[in-house]
Amino acid sequence: DAVQVILAWQDWMASAPRELACELMFLHSTDAPAGTEPHVVLTGAFHGTQSDCDRLLDRLTTAAGHPGTSRTSRELPYTQAMMQVYGCGDKTVDACHRVGFTPEAQLPRDSHTTQRNQFFATPWTSATARAALDAFTADPAPGQFRFLGLFPYGGRINEVSPTATAFVHRNAVLNAGYALTLSTPAPAPDDRARAQAWVNHAYTTLDTHSSHRSYQNYMDPALATWREAYYGENYARLRSVKQSYDPHRFFDFAQAID
């Protein structure tokens, strides 16, 4: 039912109240037992009552034609809600850090992740959704954890002019990102190459449907056109700011504004 879930989710988000924000995720471990299907997960937040949130979720499951295998909603104060979102619902604030950051830290670190993302200015068709899912499940290899995330845009984001701030992506309806995590922080070259090839194939599959732009908080080392993809028409102004405040490039990396 994954294609229908994608189509129902994007229509649901387009008509949802501004108090709702959520993402649609597809998760799969290639080391899972034979016959184990990828998981489809919806997660998010609603600034309002639990009863209103539940009515919105009912609307989505009706449109998707499937009630799902599990469903949980909780009404929480903001701090508790954020702790739960980041996997710290049963932890102290001191423990809610990545291992190695503080002596009390308990959250695990990712080993090695390769990812790419794209913005889309129009909703996905059923053919696009099917192509995205086929790319997600293509060419499995042992030791991979795969992720496909669909993140909604629009709403208040798109009320701001693209040139008003450094963030140029003001006409998108969603961002889609693929990621592949390997089980070791220093994988073999063949495993790294296979991970990059999988992400590249998924990216290329969707590129013709995208706006050819990417979110600059998800840096993509394989992106040759990163200046246009991250910043669009704002790059020249950002370059001027960079040269004024950091003329000697103290803050620098491979895709830093030059």
Side-chain angles (χ1 to χ4, degrees), residues 21-41:
C22 72
E23 60 195 60
L24 182 61
M25 303 183 296
F26 300 85
L27 314 173
H28 182 52
S29 170
T30 58
D31 291 337
T36 301
E37 297 291 338
H39 287 76
V40 182
V41 179

Side-chain angles (χ1 to χ4, degrees), residues 1-198:
D1 302 303
V3 169
Q4 179 57 30
V5 170
I6 290 174
L7 301 180
W9 170 82
Q10 63 182 7
D11 289 346
W12 177 70
M13 280 303 306
S15 62
R18 300 259 172 111
E19 290 78 12
L20 176 71
C22 72
E23 60 195 60
L24 182 61
M25 303 183 296
F26 300 85
L27 314 173
H28 182 52
S29 170
T30 58
D31 291 337
T36 301
E37 297 291 338
H39 287 76
V40 182
V41 179
L42 179 81
T43 181
F46 177 72
H47 187 69
T49 66
Q50 184 165 339
S51 58
D52 285 344
C53 179
D54 287 340
R55 279 192 287 272
L56 284 168
L57 292 174
D58 290 341
R59 188 188 306 169
L60 174 62
T61 55
T62 298
H66 195 295
T69 57
S70 64
R71 173 171 153 179
T72 302
S73 63
R74 295 181 64 192
E75 190 167 341
L76 296 169
Y78 181 79
T79 300
Q80 286 181 246
M82 293 306 295
M83 290 285 283
Q84 182 163 311
V85 164
Y86 286 97
C88 298
D90 60 347
K91 295 178 174 59
T92 65
V93 172
D94 289 338
C96 191
H97 293 280
R98 299 293 179 188
V99 171
F101 184 78
T102 66
E104 298 85 5
Q106 295 182 15
L107 298 186
R109 291 184 178 274
D110 282 344
S111 296
H112 180 280
T113 298
T114 304
Q115 68 85 30
R116 305 194 72 179
N117 76 94
Q118 295 159 298
F119 280 105
F120 296 82
T122 57
W124 283 8
T125 65
S126 58
T128 304
R130 171 50 57 199
L133 294 168
D134 287 345
F136 178 71
T137 56
D139 302 320
Q144 296 179 345
F145 179 79
R146 296 179 169 195
F147 171 89
L148 166 60
L150 276 62
F151 306 91
Y153 278 74
R156 289 294 295 274
I157 297 171
N158 289 9
E159 289 181 357
V160 179
S161 168
T163 58
T165 72
F167 188 84
V168 74
H169 312 292
R170 303 292 183 175
N171 69 339
V173 297
L174 66 91
N175 177 280
Y178 287 90
L180 193 152
T181 299
L182 298 173
S183 56
T184 173
D190 286 351
D191 292 333
R192 290 172 61 111
R194 189 178 293 114
Q196 187 68 59
W198 177 80

Side-chain angles (χ1 to χ4, degrees), residues 158-251:
N158 289 9
E159 289 181 357
V160 179
S161 168
T163 58
T165 72
F167 188 84
V168 74
H169 312 292
R170 303 292 183 175
N171 69 339
V173 297
L174 66 91
N175 177 280
Y178 287 90
L180 193 152
T181 299
L182 298 173
S183 56
T184 173
D190 286 351
D191 292 333
R192 290 172 61 111
R194 189 178 293 114
Q196 187 68 59
W198 177 80
V199 173
N200 288 348
H201 170 72
Y203 180 93
T204 302
T205 296
L206 292 180
D207 189 48
T208 56
H209 307 285
S210 79
S211 63
H212 311 296
R213 289 189 168 176
S214 298
Y215 182 33
Q216 52 265 49
N217 255 16
Y218 306 149
M219 287 295 179
D220 176 2
L223 191 58
T225 58
W226 60 268
R227 292 172 180 83
E228 167 63 24
Y230 294 154
Y231 304 111
E233 57 266 41
N234 294 338
Y235 188 79
R237 289 173 59 203
L238 290 167
R239 190 168 184 263
S240 177
V241 171
K242 170 76 172 181
Q243 291 174 349
S244 294
Y245 288 93
D246 185 19
H248 305 296
R249 295 178 66 87
F250 179 83
F251 297 102

